[in-house]
Amino acid sequence: MASTTDGSTVLGRGLAVVTRRGPVFGPLDLEIPAGGLCAVVGSGHSGRSSLLLALAGRMRLSAGELWIGGRSSRDGLKALRDQVCVARVRPGVEPDEGLTVRTVERQSVVISGGLSSHDRIAAMREWLDLDDLDPKARLGDLHPRQRLLHAVALAAAQQPAVVVVDDVDHGLARADRVRAWRALDELALAGPTVIASATDAPGMSIDHTVVGL
Amino acid sequence: MSGVLLALMELRRFRPGLPRLVVGALAAIPVVYGAIYLWAYWDPFSELDNVPVAVVNQDRPVTVRGQEIAGGRELTDQLKQTRDFDYRFTDARDARTGLHDGHYFITITVPADFSRRLASGAGTAPQQAEVRFALDGANGFLISQFVSTARTQIAKQINSAAATAYTQSAVGDLGQLRGQLSQALGALGDVRSSTRDAAAASRELVATLVPLGSATGSLAQSGTELARSVDGLSRLLAQLQSTVAPASDELLGAIADASSDATAAATVTRRAADRVAWRTARIRRLLQSLERSYPVLARSRTFLELLAAATRASDATAAGREAAGRTERTSAQLTARLRRLRQATRSTRASGASQDIVSGLQRSVASAQRALDQLQQATRAAGRAGDHLASALNGVDRGIGRIQRQVRSSLRQVPSLNAKQRSQVADFLGAPVRPVTTEYHPAGAYGRGFAPFFFSIGLWVFGLFCFFALRPLSPWLLASRATSATVAVTGWLAAWLLATGGVALLLLVTEIGLGLDADHLLATIAVLLVTAGTFTALIQLFRAALGVAGDAVGLLLLMIQLGGSAGIYPPQASTGLFRALHDVLPMTYSIDALRVTISGGLTSHALRDVAALLGFLVGAVAFTALVAHRQRTWTMEQLHPSIEL
């Protein structure tokens, strides 16, 4: 198993994002231990994606303060951003479905700024039980669980402190959901803090923190 | 009815705010596409007075018969007054460089022989004068249209200047002609006075003929007396012969002497009569020959009277001569008989009666002498009068000769033209000045002239459409560790790579299919690639920074550039706002650069244009990178756009 960096603690107090149209989420508090798994649970349009982006340091908070690995959001989002890797935030912030597996992996290596490599990605793929992926298959043609976990593998290969992944449930039947959550749990145990959003909570067998929206 | 309701619902599905605004803004498309260009070029030919035109006057004025003809100055003065264009009066070198630089759109040159050729119009071999127009296709496409307009406007001034020059020289000739005709008129005056002298001389002649007539008459009378005396004497002689009376030798001798005197007198009288007859006949012949030489004299009553008088005198003197001849012959016969008688009867004496006859005879002789003297004087006077007449008529002859010479030399001033020359002169007067146009870097076919404009439009529209499909900035990349510059360049390069294919296809079709025949094909390709890069970068920026509104900006900017970038007409032909924007619009530079690479022009201009385009490109990408940097922090609008195209 490839060693990963240790995760960071994620702390939030009074986190909220408000727009002209009204509140998006919050105010809410959360506390995620380093290397822990957090499930952000809520229905669609509950602001899950926005919360995930905010926790990734990629959305400005209207209120509250966020700490990741001891760095505060009030000191600027860059420090937070550098610690967090986004596996996917739906819609839009995800690998292009028209690209092939191999191409996406190459892209990931290039844009990781040297943090990722083909070996690491291969190792993460193996870790997340994705050996049977056809390199020439287009992402959009993959099984949703494979697509999800592949995105997570790309993120994890960069060895971030925190991995954020959106919409774990999407397109998955119950059995697949269990497998997905188990994989995320394994990842969290191995190193990074994992924050994942879903419609439903993972279930009792997985140790996680819950943030309800 | 239900259709209308459902249609309205199709529109109402757009939420209030940006979505409705964007859909509503679709109504602005017709006015943007339809009206902006028209606004820019509503009346291109009314803005002509902003189009700079260089005027070079190289004309050398000529002096024709004292008149100075300066056609070039005339023309420039008129141009200064009319102000149809923005005329700048300068020298040849400045005009030439300015034309190629784009400072002047047209140059007008008046050549050095302009005035000389104009003045030739009054002669037999008129040469059309030339005015030279020059324009450079690199300055704009439909410049030649402006040249046509300029030619029409300037033609009026040119023709006016030409007409002035021509009239000046023609009027100068007329003045000279007038002078010569005045001299001829003066000569006519001299002829008139000569004819007056002739009239006076002829009157004098008539006057002398009167005493001539009376002298001839008295001569005739004394001749008659003489004849009578001689008859008396011969009767006496007959008596004497019949009465054989002793005749005195002296008496006979006296009678014989008297008779020989009478004969002598008769001879003299006859000779005088001959001379008179000859003189009057000569006068008559002179008058007749004058009449033949100058038939116009036949119209003069005085002359006819003169001629009649001379004829009468001639006839009378001829008759007189006849009579004198007879008398001479009779007295000669008598003298001879007397001499014979004297011989025969030397001592015969006559009675006193014969003494009377002798003295009578002597008296007749004396009177014949006197008459003879009178006749001589009268004929002398007639001779003098005839001489006067002759000299007066000589004066007339000389005067007429002078007039003829004058008129002949005047005729030489008026050219006699054959048909070919007449048509040449007519051509000249119809079109005294010929405009000659030189076009540098001509575009040639309309298509070639329009190519820079439409190529640029094509690339801009490509940019607009391109970013309907492509993302200006990839959200996935923005969320990653890739730098903002990388994200910006990625989005731009993706579009530019597509554009490269578009440029290749464009040139393939236009060069080979349409026969564009660009002067510098490689340079054209390079410029097109740079232009594609610039335009895509700009539109990427608009889209990245403004979202959907960025497309509207791109569309608006397209139309503004159509109006302001001088793709067809020169910028001076557009209305004020577009003229002001001309230098800050990217398409201005792509059009100018493509003009140079396709139809020719200054390389320095093309390089300047490419530099400007690259400047726009780099600036656009830099700003897009800034936008990317900002967008790394998501907004709700970014996550859930209210309207997507």
Side-chain angles (χ1 to χ4, degrees):
Chain A
M1 208 272 312
S3 67
T4 57
T5 53
D6 293 327
S8 300
T9 322
V10 178
L11 270 168
R13 290 276 172 271
L15 305 175
V17 166
V18 179
T19 63
R20 270 197 313 271
R21 277 192 254 161
V24 179
F25 67 81
L28 54 81
D29 303 333
L30 54 79
E31 189 175 331
I32 310 168
L37 171 65
C38 172
V40 174
V41 177
S43 57
H45 277 283
S46 54
R48 291 179 323 195
S49 311
S50 311
L51 176 59
L52 281 172
L53 281 177
L55 292 176
R58 285 153 173 88
M59 186 177 277
R60 196 165 284 113
L61 294 164
S62 310
E65 197 171 348
L66 174 67
W67 290 263
I68 300 179
R71 309 297 294 274
S72 166
S73 62
R74 285 187 208 252
D75 297 332
L77 291 178
K78 175 122 186 18
L80 304 183
R81 197 159 49 225
D82 286 342
Q83 296 179 68
V84 181
C85 210
V86 173
R88 79 171 182 203
V89 170
R90 289 190 67 250
V93 191
E94 55 182 329
D96 294 310
E97 60 92 26
L99 292 174
T100 61
V101 168
R102 188 179 11 210
T103 313
V104 156
E105 287 176 9
R106 274 168 74 189
Q107 184 190 49
S108 184
V109 169
V110 169
I111 63 179
S112 68
L115 292 175
S116 176
S117 69
H118 282 287
D119 294 333
R120 286 222 187 90
I121 294 174
M124 289 316 303
R125 261 216 323 261
E126 203 186 301
W127 181 254
L128 293 168
D129 201 17
L130 287 171
D131 287 332
D132 49 349
L133 270 183
D134 174 17
K136 290 210 275 278
R138 303 214 180 252
L139 292 185
D141 296 338
L142 294 175
H143 190 278
R145 182 187 61 81
Q146 287 174 317
R147 198 172 161 187
L148 165 71
L149 293 178
H150 188 251
V152 172
L154 293 177
Q158 296 177 43
Q159 296 180 327
V162 181
V163 171
V164 157
V165 57
D166 190 22
D167 232 353
V168 170
D169 289 354
H170 172 70
L172 296 183
R174 193 170 338 167
D176 291 318
R177 283 185 214 169
V178 171
R179 279 175 74 182
W181 280 115
R182 204 168 285 151
L184 291 174
D185 190 33
E186 295 265 347
L187 178 63
L189 279 172
T193 314
V194 177
I195 310 175
S197 76
T199 325
D200 293 317
M204 286 307 148
S205 58
I206 295 173
D207 175 34
H208 60 274
T209 323
V210 176
V211 174
L213 289 174
Chain B
M1 194 54 215
S2 59
V4 174
L5 266 174
L6 291 174
L8 284 172
M9 290 172 196
E10 281 294 309
L11 296 173
R12 289 179 67 187
R13 75 172 176 95
F14 293 97
R15 287 175 188 257
L18 187 62
R20 285 218 180 146
L21 194 66
V22 168
V23 170
L26 290 172
I29 288 183
V31 74
V32 166
Y33 268 106
I36 287 189
Y37 189 79
L38 294 182
W39 176 25
Y41 288 106
W42 188 247
D43 192 2
F45 293 99
S46 73
E47 306 275 348
L48 284 181
D49 55 347
N50 288 321
V51 175
V53 171
V55 181
V56 179
N57 182 12
Q58 293 177 322
D59 180 39
R60 280 201 284 270
V62 295
T63 306
V64 175
R65 295 185 203 98
Q67 282 268 24
E68 194 202 40
I69 296 175
R73 201 165 50 230
E74 191 67 43
L75 181 60
T76 51
D77 287 346
Q78 296 204 9
L79 290 179
K80 270 183 202 145
Q81 282 178 352
T82 56
R83 275 188 253 260
D84 290 323
F85 286 88
D86 180 10
Y87 292 116
R88 317 263 178 94
F89 298 91
T90 176
D91 62 67
R93 188 148 48 108
D94 178 55
R96 195 172 42 246
T97 54
L99 180 67
H100 295 308
D101 270 344
H103 281 122
Y104 305 121
F105 278 89
I106 305 164
T107 63
I108 302 171
T109 307
V110 182
D113 61 359
F114 186 69
S115 290
R116 186 179 63 77
R117 285 182 177 226
L118 281 184
S120 76
T124 54
Q127 293 174 298
Q128 267 182 322
E130 278 183 355
V131 169
R132 299 192 190 125
F133 293 81
L135 55 107
D136 192 340
N139 290 335
F141 178 48
L142 288 179
I143 303 284
S144 54
Q145 301 282 62
F146 282 111
V147 175
S148 302
T149 312
R151 264 211 296 262
T152 319
Q153 308 271 30
I154 290 166
K156 282 186 277 196
Q157 279 90 17
I158 290 176
N159 285 332
S160 158
T164 308
Y166 171 77
T167 311
Q168 276 174 338
S169 72
V171 164
D173 287 348
L174 282 178
Q176 203 174 15
L177 200 63
R178 190 168 194 276
Q180 287 168 342
L181 287 176
S182 300
Q183 282 178 8
L185 204 64
L188 272 175
D190 291 344
V191 170
R192 271 190 95 209
S193 64
S194 296
T195 48
R196 270 201 298 275
D197 291 344
S202 67
R203 277 197 295 276
E204 204 184 302
L205 189 62
V206 167
T208 57
L209 283 177
V210 168
L212 187 66
S214 65
T216 318
S218 47
L219 180 66
Q221 210 175 16
S222 37
T224 315
E225 282 176 20
L226 189 63
R228 253 204 317 266
S229 305
V230 169
D231 281 341
L233 196 59
S234 71
R235 264 197 312 272
L236 176 64
L237 200 62
Q239 277 180 352
L240 282 174
Q241 278 182 323
S242 65
T243 61
V244 188
S248 141
D249 183 53
E250 286 160 29
L251 185 65
L252 269 177
I255 294 173
D257 288 336
S259 179
S260 81
D261 286 342
T263 308
T267 307
V268 171
T269 305
R270 186 198 49 92
R271 284 206 199 108
D274 272 345
R275 274 203 300 280
V276 170
W278 181 81
R279 281 236 164 114
T280 51
R282 194 185 126 205
I283 289 173
R284 194 189 67 185
R285 274 200 305 280
L286 173 68
L287 289 174
Q288 280 173 337
S289 85
L290 278 176
E291 192 188 6
R292 275 197 300 279
S293 304
Y294 303 102
V296 66
L297 289 172
R299 295 211 208 112
S300 161
R301 206 167 44 146
T302 314
F303 179 79
L304 290 173
E305 284 172 5
L306 184 62
L307 185 60
T311 311
R312 281 194 301 273
S314 176
D315 294 339
T317 49
R321 189 185 56 189
E322 285 297 303
R326 273 198 308 274
T327 309
E328 188 194 18
R329 276 195 303 278
T330 311
S331 70
Q333 284 170 0
L334 182 61
T335 308
R337 275 167 65 191
L338 280 171
R339 285 204 209 283
R340 279 201 302 275
L341 190 60
R342 205 179 169 199
Q343 294 286 49
T345 53
R346 284 204 86 97
S347 58
T348 309
R349 301 266 187 264
S351 63
S354 57
Q355 204 66 9
D356 294 328
I357 293 173
V358 168
S359 47
L361 195 62
Q362 282 173 337
R363 273 200 305 280
S364 333
V365 169
S367 82
Q369 263 323 81
R370 276 196 306 277
L372 197 63
D373 289 335
Q374 273 183 346
L375 189 60
Q376 275 187 336
Q377 276 171 354
T379 50
R380 249 185 255 125
R384 274 200 303 276
D387 290 336
H388 285 166
L389 180 62
S391 78
L393 288 170
N394 274 341
V396 169
D397 190 39
R398 274 198 305 276
I400 289 174
R402 258 207 309 280
I403 292 170
Q404 275 184 329
R405 278 194 299 280
Q406 282 291 0
V407 171
R408 216 174 279 128
S409 89
S410 305
L411 274 174
R412 258 185 254 115
Q413 298 297 322
V414 178
S416 151
L417 305 170
N418 58 33
K420 179 166 179 285
Q421 286 170 321
R422 273 204 299 275
S423 112
Q424 272 178 338
V425 171
D427 284 345
F428 175 86
L429 290 177
V433 177
R434 180 177 61 223
V436 173
T437 307
T438 309
E439 189 175 355
Y440 297 99
H441 310 125
Y446 252 47
R448 220 158 161 265
F450 279 124
F453 187 49
F454 279 97
F455 285 5
S456 303
I457 293 174
L459 289 176
W460 189 272
V461 173
F462 165 80
L464 287 175
F465 274 102
C466 180
F467 286 106
F468 285 138
L470 300 181
R471 298 179 293 224
L473 298 169
S474 162
W476 178 235
L477 294 182
L478 283 176
S480 74
R481 285 185 184 280
T483 61
S484 305
T486 308
V487 181
V489 169
T490 303
W492 169 68
L493 262 182
W496 190 70
L497 287 172
L498 270 184
T500 315
V503 165
L505 195 59
L506 173 67
L507 276 176
L508 202 69
V509 169
T510 52
E511 270 285 327
I512 297 171
L514 294 177
L516 177 73
D517 192 24
D519 281 3
H520 311 283
L521 185 58
L522 286 177
T524 306
I525 294 173
V527 170
L528 283 173
L529 290 176
V530 171
T531 305
T534 307
F535 289 179
T536 48
L538 284 167
I539 292 165
Q540 180 201 23
L541 173 61
F542 300 148
R543 275 292 245 125
L546 304 171
V548 169
D551 280 328
V553 169
L555 187 63
L556 192 64
L557 209 54
L558 171 65
M559 297 316 296
I560 291 174
Q561 285 178 122
L562 289 192
S565 294
I568 301 178
Y569 294 112
Q572 282 80 2
S574 57
T575 47
L577 172 66
F578 294 91
R579 255 206 315 278
L581 291 175
H582 178 257
D583 287 341
V584 302
L585 299 172
M587 203 181 274
T588 304
Y589 299 97
S590 73
I591 289 174
D592 192 63
L594 285 170
R595 264 204 203 106
V596 173
T597 63
I598 292 177
S599 300
L602 291 176
T603 309
S604 61
H605 279 201
L607 290 174
R608 176 203 67 186
D609 296 328
V610 169
L613 286 171
L614 287 173
F616 276 110
L617 168 56
V618 168
V621 173
F623 272 106
T624 308
L626 271 175
V627 170
H629 180 76
R630 279 197 48 194
Q631 289 188 356
R632 306 199 95 135
T633 309
W634 256 254
T635 59
M636 278 311 292
E637 181 62 38
Q638 218 172 317
L639 193 58
H640 298 290
S642 46
I643 184 160
E644 274 177 293
L645 292 176

